């Protein structure tokens, strides 16, 4: 990537890149080449303080506070256009920093522009005069929805732009200002976003960015000038953040890990499963939170399902993520590869049978590549059936009847996504509603930016997208006033 879109050792505060106080840095590595592509600041508490102060100052300035919801919606539309104008740069940048195939990153800017446009369309919800009479009839209340304040947006590396814009769009529409902390693996897309934010005409200080790892994130979550935290990442980090926010009584939204199930009903068209299994179960080289990485198959059709899934996984091209034909790229880092390889060992040791994959692919001496792997003969108690692997590994489990399938699907600490494959759509829909999960698709899985997306159980707290996602960036104020000639007791 040349030139890099983010100056070394800098933070973005009050509308400009500024030298960081921290002298530490993070190496950013291209997962396909293992080459260091740049260094960014490992921002410290002082840098976080600078960014939060900039956000607080912008919150109070008329240039932002004086805007109506319609004005802010207009800025979201302008940002959408600016992101689209940077579509190619964005795709290249994300692929270079996290190894996601260009077949996935090519539309990152277009999809997030759509997210921004949909969020802008929610502006009328903020304009409604919400007048509520006291039930006793002597007074009335105006319920105001006001921005929660400065929002800390902390994101992971797997879909860095999507997960950032999912927070940024409602935060800005609500009238918040933000401090963004992208994952240390993927800081550069945020710099491309910063240039779009400037070009869209957002006032300085409304969007601020600090780069760095968990320490930087912790300093941001704990900062007294932060009013709300929105986090996407692992369940472990989410719990730590929730503990801090609990102590501080700070609102928090958590989008966490998953181990979703794809239930293949006895009447399923296995051609449909074959066509959709990669997208539903192993998207982004298995590094997608809602991937249905447990495939549940009726025992009578188990061998057939294992064969179909195995063929789909084996025949998908693995390799250079910049090649448009590539389906499986490298995983994001050496650490992530070590985690996936550990699960490959655990699965084999537990007695599961790899029908394809199981190790490192031949012919890739460089790059964090892992063979996409399907495990058959998986028992529900096995770790590979219970724990999130976050790599290209599927477990296929047999079930006896539909009640057994439902029990297996719900036998998880997680509840994020899921899918039901069945020819009788009505029956599949009915089955889907009995799954303990925040989102579930019939014969496919997708994310609808107009509908809430959030996890149940250990998969999170709260939701993003739609009016539900917007409400996470608002607080209420009830302003009471007496009605004339209706008595004076209060
Ligand atoms: P991670 O939890 O290690 O890091 C996520 C972000 O949080 C990074 O920016 C990191 O620097 C920061 N962070 C880590 N510990 C922190 C702490 N104690 N305080 C503040 N910030 C902290 O996760 P990851 O490895 O980057 O991402 C993978 C995980 O994210 C997977 O578990 C995946 O399922 C989950 N994820 C969930 C969703 C969802 O919408 N539910 C979407 C994508 C990814």
């Amino acid at each position: 990537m040349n030139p890099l879109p983010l100056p070394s050792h800098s933070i973005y505060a009050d509308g400009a890149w500024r030298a960081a106080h921290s002298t530490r840095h993070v190496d950013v590595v291209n997962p396909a080449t293992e080459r260091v592509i740049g260094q960014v600041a490992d921002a410290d508490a002082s840098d976080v303080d600078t960014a939060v102060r900039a956000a607080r100052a912008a919150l109070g300035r008329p240039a932002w506070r004086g805007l109506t919801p319609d004005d802010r919606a207009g800025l979201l539309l302008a940002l959408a256009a600016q992101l689209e104008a940077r579509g190619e740069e964005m795709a290249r940048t994300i692929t270079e920093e996290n190894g996601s195939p260009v077949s996935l990153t090519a539309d990152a800017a277009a999809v997030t522009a759509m997210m921004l446009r949909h969020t802008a369309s929610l502006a009328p919800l903020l304009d409604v005069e919400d007048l509520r009479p006291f039930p006793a009839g002597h007074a009335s209340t105006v319920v105001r929805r006001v921005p929660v304040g400065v929002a800390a947006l902390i994101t992971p590396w797997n879909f860095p732009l999507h997960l950032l814009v999912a927070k940024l769009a409602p935060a800005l529409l609500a009238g918040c200002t933000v401090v963004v902390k992208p994952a240390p693996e993927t800081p550069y897309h945020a710099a491309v976003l910063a240039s779009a934010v400037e070009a869209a005409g957002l006032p300085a200080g409304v969007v601020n960015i600090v780069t760095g790892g968990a320490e930087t994130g912790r300093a941001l979550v704990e900062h007294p000038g932060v009013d709300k935290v929105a986090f996407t990442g692992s369940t472990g980090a989410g719990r730590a953040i929730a503990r801090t926010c609990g102590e501080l009584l700070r609102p928090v939204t958590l989008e966490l890990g998953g181990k979703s199930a794809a239930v293949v009903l006895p009447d399923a068209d296995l051609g449909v499963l074959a066509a959709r299994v990669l997208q539903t179960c192993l998207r982004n080289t298995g590094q997608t939170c809602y991937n249905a990485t447990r495939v549940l198959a009726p025992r009578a059709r188990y061998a057939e399902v294992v064969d179909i899934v195995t063929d789909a996984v084996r025949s998908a091209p693995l390799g250079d993520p910049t090649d448009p034909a590539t389906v499986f790229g490298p995983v994001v880092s050496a650490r992530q590869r070590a985690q996936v390889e550990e699960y490959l060992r655990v699965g084999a040791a537990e007695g599961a049978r790899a029908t394809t994959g199981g190790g490192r692919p031949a012919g890739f001496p460089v790059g964090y590549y892992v063979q996409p792997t399907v495990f058959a003969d998986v028992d529900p108690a096995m770790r590979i059936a219970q724990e999130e692997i976050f790599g290209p590994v599927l477990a296929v489990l047999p079930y006896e009847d539909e009640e057994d399938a439902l029990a297996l699907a719900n036998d998880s600490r997680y509840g994020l996504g899921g899918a039901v494959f069945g020819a009788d759509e009505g029956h599949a829909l009915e089955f889907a509603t009995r799954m303990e999960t925040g989102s579930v698709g019939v014969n496919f899985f997708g994310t609808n930016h107009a509908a809430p997306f959030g996890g149940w159980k250990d998969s999170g707290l709260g939701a993003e997208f739609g009016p539900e996602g917007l409400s996470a960036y608002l607080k209420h104020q009830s302003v009471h006033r007496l009605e004339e000639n209706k008595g004076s007791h209060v």
Side-chain angles (χ1 to χ4, degrees), residues 265-267 402 420 422-434:
L265 292 175
D267 71 341
E402 288 191 14
V420 183
D424 176 345
E425 196 186 56
H427 181 63
L429 278 167
E430 195 269 331
F431 187 96
T433 60
R434 297 173 68 202

Side-chain angles (χ1 to χ4, degrees), residues 78-79 81-84 86 90 191-202:
L79 179 57
Q82 291 299 333
L83 270 183
E84 276 175 335
R86 290 162 178 75
M90 193 60 96
V192 179
L193 177 76
S195 82
V197 161
E198 278 178 27
L202 274 111

Side-chain angles (χ1 to χ4, degrees), residues 443-470:
N443 292 316
F444 90 118
F445 191 87
T447 313
N448 176 357
H449 302 152
F453 174 81
W456 293 4
K457 304 192 266 186
D458 282 6
S459 290
L461 208 58
E464 293 186 325
F465 301 133
E468 295 81 0
L470 177 61

